[in-house]
Amino acid sequence: MSISPAAVTGPRRLLKRVRDVMAGPGSAEERLGKIVTIIAADMVAEVCSVYVMRAGEVLELFATCGLAAEAVHRTRLRTGEGIVGYVAAHARPLNLRDAQSHPNFAYRPETGEEIYHSMIGVPILRGGRIIGVLAVQNRTERQYTEDEQEALENVAMVLAEMVAGGELVNRDELIPADGIALLPLRLSGARLAPGIGKGTAVLHEPRIVIDRMVAEDPQEELTRLREAMRGLQKHLDRMVEAVGDIDLGGGEDTGDILDAYRMIAKDTGWLNRITEAVNTGLTAEAAVQKVHDDTRARMAQVTDPYLRERLHDLEDLANRLLQHLSGQFQSPAFGNLPDDIILVARNIGPAELLDYDHTRLRGLALEEGSHTSHVAIVARALDIPVLGGVKGVLDKVEGGDPLIVDADNAQLFVRPSEDVRAVIDGALKARAERKALYAQMRDLPAQTHDDVNISLNINAGLLIDVPHVIESGADGIGLYRTEIPFMVRSAMPDIEDQTRLYNRIFEQAEGRPVVFRTLDVGGDKLLPYWQDMTEENPAMGWRSIRITLDRPAVLVHQLRALIRAAHDRDLHVMFPMIAEVAEFRAARELLDRQLEREAGRGFVPRSVKVGAMLEVPALVWQANSLLGQVDFLSVGTNDLLQFMFAADRGNPRLEGRYDTLSPGVFSFLKHLVELCDDRNVRLTICGEMAGRPLEAMALIGLGVRRLSMAPASVGPVKEMVRSMNAKSVEQYVLSLLDSPSKSLRSRLKAFAIDHGVKL
Ligand code: PEP
Ligand code: MG
């Protein structure tokens, strides 16, 4: 969008005058008083006021031209209260012909504002945070133009420097420190990547100090902007080359993500908004900052996690562009850093993370962040624990603070006390020792004292998980969740992409069997590029095989890719959430047709085995017919148990209400084991319970011989298997089947302790 010179002369003049007053003599309040008078005159408004955010989220009137002078420092509005509070709460301008008829209008008698009708308020933003509101009012019902709004926003931008400078209110008030900043703290968050990390806080704030906000010559600023853009593009190109070899699996590698960055950097909408701000009188830096602040403020309103991540990518780019403009490459990644970095950020883009020396990164604590964020995927690939959603972390942590990211228990320790450090040191040491122990057991068989062999397999979902099958000494991949690669991408992968990915999995598994589960989406597993599938009861809704049978094209493509990748190899395909034999038959028919079609193209697997996941109890009552058709069965206890007990596995109020180690579950599984044994159908348990030693012990007692679990569980479960006697566990477990107890957990634990079973 281009703006005519005449349209911008006014705003530029206003900005320059505001800047001159800001830099001139007098106290900050006196200068602010002059500024509101200048703005009122320039906009032909009867009122111009500045409200500053004070501790406790209260907006206080600091200067006014037009409202009663006694109201200064007396009129205070909470965020969300009145029009001014509304602007602050929504971080957006509000332009009203008749403010008094707005539902949020709050009349304050001390101001004498009852005679004013039209009103425009714009947020004063700094670093994505609201630090005040600038408002203009008129008696008449006037509609302020877009240009006027833009001009006010620019002035607000310049004023932000003054407010943030600490002359009006103490800077401590702008950055709520709540007086406990130096005491040890424990903050909670969400585990985005597992592990525990201990180190020194590095604040990732590549914030550039802008000392020139108002442009002398907009043309020159536009030239600087273009040059900086070129620099940024080159930098991104270099980064793509440098990190191209870090493979994230899931069909998406860091190169793909950075490519998306390059595309955003070329997006004309973004550049236009910056150019527009330069045209209205801001320097290139101030213009980027303005667009950046707007974006950050808007981000606070967006709830869609995928969109938030894309907005964040944009923010990351704005930061980088500022660095190119100012020549200040301030990312701490380029400075002197401790050897044990715990990075603290509001959010961080994958490219920014990759700027750091990842061998020194011990953890990441994010104020925001989500499971779908690319940065979480990169961090998992690099084995860095990540905590997201740590509310207040930016306010409460200082650079250099000792920190402990305990992602496994979803907590962050800030300046931990000696006691906490000692506990964490103990946990880290124990983890390291156990890891070493498990590594030693890698090539030992998972065999009980009485020579029963148990097949231990891993569950995987990303390419980086696959090498664990070799490292952990597992027999194969018992469950490859193919939906995860679909979930981390921004578009549906095509057949070629999928074939490449499945090929890599086969290669990395080095001949060990891999059970590919077909797309299992819906419920809590949403694809970013599919329409909103909000349902009242998603766990029991249109999900998994129900979707892929209703929309067979997706399944057909996936099956073709699997067949092509499995050429001359053993193909194991498993269909999820099968509730009735007819569903399995329909899915299998689709597979058979694709096998025939691909054979005509020269793709022929060495062998094909087809199985079903048993997650819906109804299927057991068709066992006779089912077992004649499947080559194997795998029990997904995560879903199965929520359906058996009719208890949503994600509902915290039901947590602990029913136990997997209970007579009902045992009887069900015992019956299933017998059915499969009779018909010689291979049975695996691949839900979370298979990876917990006590549960695994009970399953073996029930006759289960194959387990599939998270790679980190293979060591502990193998250690347990090698310390147990299958016969004696079986006798004990069977003796519990008719128990009226709710849970058999404590009895099983006691049994394990008495019999030297290592849990
Ligand atoms: C299960 O339901 O137990 C299972 C393994 O599948 P997911 O956890 O992927 O739903
Ligand atoms: Mg499941």
Side-chain angles (χ1 to χ4, degrees), residues 68-119:
E70 320 69 276
V72 171
H73 297 307
R74 258 186 78 198
T75 297
R76 299 177 121 225
L77 294 153
R78 299 209 153 271
T79 302
E81 189 188 5
I83 305 291
V84 166
Y86 185 95
V87 170
H90 294 81
R92 269 203 304 264
L94 193 59
N95 184 347
L96 301 168
R97 256 183 104 83
D98 181 19
Q100 296 190 18
S101 61
H102 189 277
N104 243 64
F105 182 77
Y107 173 56
R108 285 299 159 88
E110 73 274 11
T111 60
E113 66 183 328
E114 63 276 16
I115 51 176
Y116 302 108
H117 284 277
S118 53
M119 178 167 185

Side-chain angles (χ1 to χ4, degrees), residues 138-163:
N138 276 79
R139 279 174 200 255
T140 53
E141 289 197 7
R142 165 180 170 188
Q143 186 68 58
Y144 302 97
T145 65
E146 266 184 40
D147 284 349
E148 283 174 322
Q149 179 174 318
E150 171 93 36
L152 262 192
E153 285 182 275
N154 287 350
V155 172
M157 165 98 203
V158 176
L159 279 179
E161 295 306 304
M162 189 172 178
V163 178

Side-chain angles (χ1 to χ4, degrees), residues 341-360:
I341 306 165
I342 303 273
L343 201 56
V344 177
R346 178 184 306 280
N347 208 339
I348 181 172
E352 288 172 298
L353 184 70
L354 291 166
D355 278 340
Y356 289 84
D357 171 2
H358 68 83
T359 61
R360 293 201 215 171

Side-chain angles (χ1 to χ4, degrees), residues 118-353:
S118 53
M119 178 167 185
I120 177 166
V122 298
I124 304 177
L125 293 161
R126 174 67 188 232
R129 197 181 262 153
I130 299 285
I131 56 171
V133 170
L134 171 63
V136 159
Q137 290 168 278
N138 276 79
R139 279 174 200 255
T140 53
E141 289 197 7
R142 165 180 170 188
Q143 186 68 58
Y144 302 97
T145 65
E146 266 184 40
D147 284 349
E148 283 174 322
Q149 179 174 318
E150 171 93 36
L152 262 192
E153 285 182 275
N154 287 350
V155 172
M157 165 98 203
V158 176
L159 279 179
E161 295 306 304
M162 189 172 178
V163 178
E167 288 178 277
L168 290 164
V169 292
N170 196 319
R171 235 186 246 146
D172 294 349
E173 267 195 65
L174 298 171
I175 302 166
D178 57 22
I180 53 165
L182 295 174
L183 296 175
L185 278 176
R186 183 191 156 278
L187 303 175
S188 6
R191 182 178 94 153
L192 301 189
I196 301 178
K198 195 176 133 194
T200 310
V202 170
L203 301 186
H204 173 76
E205 260 191 317
R207 237 190 122 57
I208 308 295
V209 181
I210 303 175
D211 38 38
R212 225 169 38 88
M213 306 290 284
V214 182
E216 296 299 334
D217 176 359
Q219 280 315 318
E220 193 187 313
E221 297 301 315
L222 288 174
T223 311
R224 292 182 59 234
L225 182 63
R226 271 194 297 273
E227 272 166 20
M229 276 308 298
R230 269 199 292 276
L232 174 66
Q233 293 279 4
K234 268 197 207 141
H235 186 90
L236 289 174
D237 291 347
R238 275 200 306 275
M239 253 163 44
V240 173
E241 278 163 32
V243 303
D245 58 335
I246 297 185
D247 198 335
L248 302 175
E252 183 161 48
D253 57 25
T254 44
D256 285 349
I257 295 170
L258 290 170
D259 272 342
Y261 262 52
R262 282 198 292 196
M263 272 168 59
I264 299 175
K266 285 183 186 148
D267 176 63
T268 47
W270 183 56
L271 261 182
N272 276 349
R273 288 204 289 144
I274 300 172
T275 309
E276 218 175 276
V278 169
N279 277 331
T280 55
L282 295 177
T283 56
E285 286 92 335
V288 175
Q289 182 77 52
K290 178 170 184 276
V291 172
H292 176 137
D293 278 344
D294 284 354
T295 312
R296 281 177 106 170
R298 258 186 247 135
M299 263 178 69
Q301 321 288 321
V302 174
T303 50
D304 177 78
Y306 183 74
L307 209 58
R308 279 179 75 95
E309 284 312 318
R310 301 294 75 73
L311 283 168
H312 175 67
D313 291 352
L314 198 60
E315 187 191 347
D316 184 10
L317 277 175
N319 279 333
R320 284 170 180 273
L321 185 54
L322 272 180
Q323 292 172 346
H324 281 270
L325 271 168
S326 62
Q328 301 173 43
F329 288 86
Q330 269 197 344
S331 166
F334 306 110
N336 267 339
L337 290 175
D339 285 336
D340 53 353
I341 306 165
I342 303 273
L343 201 56
V344 177
R346 178 184 306 280
N347 208 339
I348 181 172
E352 288 172 298
L353 184 70

Side-chain angles (χ1 to χ4, degrees), residues 48-64:
C48 177
S49 316
V50 171
Y51 294 79
V52 175
M53 185 69 89
R54 307 219 54 167
E57 304 234 316
V58 172
L59 290 147
E60 181 175 311
L61 180 65
F62 257 68
T64 184

Side-chain angles (χ1 to χ4, degrees), residues 479 481 483 517 520 525 543 613 615 635-640 649 686-688:
L479 167 65
R481 293 178 160 106
E483 63 278 2
R517 175 175 76 183
D520 181 24
K525 294 184 229 167
R543 56 175 284 208
M613 275 197 84
E615 300 176 276
V635 186
T637 47
N638 306 340
D639 273 313
L640 177 72
R649 75 192 204 195
C686 66
E688 293 305 304

Side-chain angles (χ1 to χ4, degrees), residues 335 407 435 437 665 725 745 759:
K435 256 191 171 168
L437 189 81
V665 177
N725 181 300
R745 188 168 295 273
L759 298 178

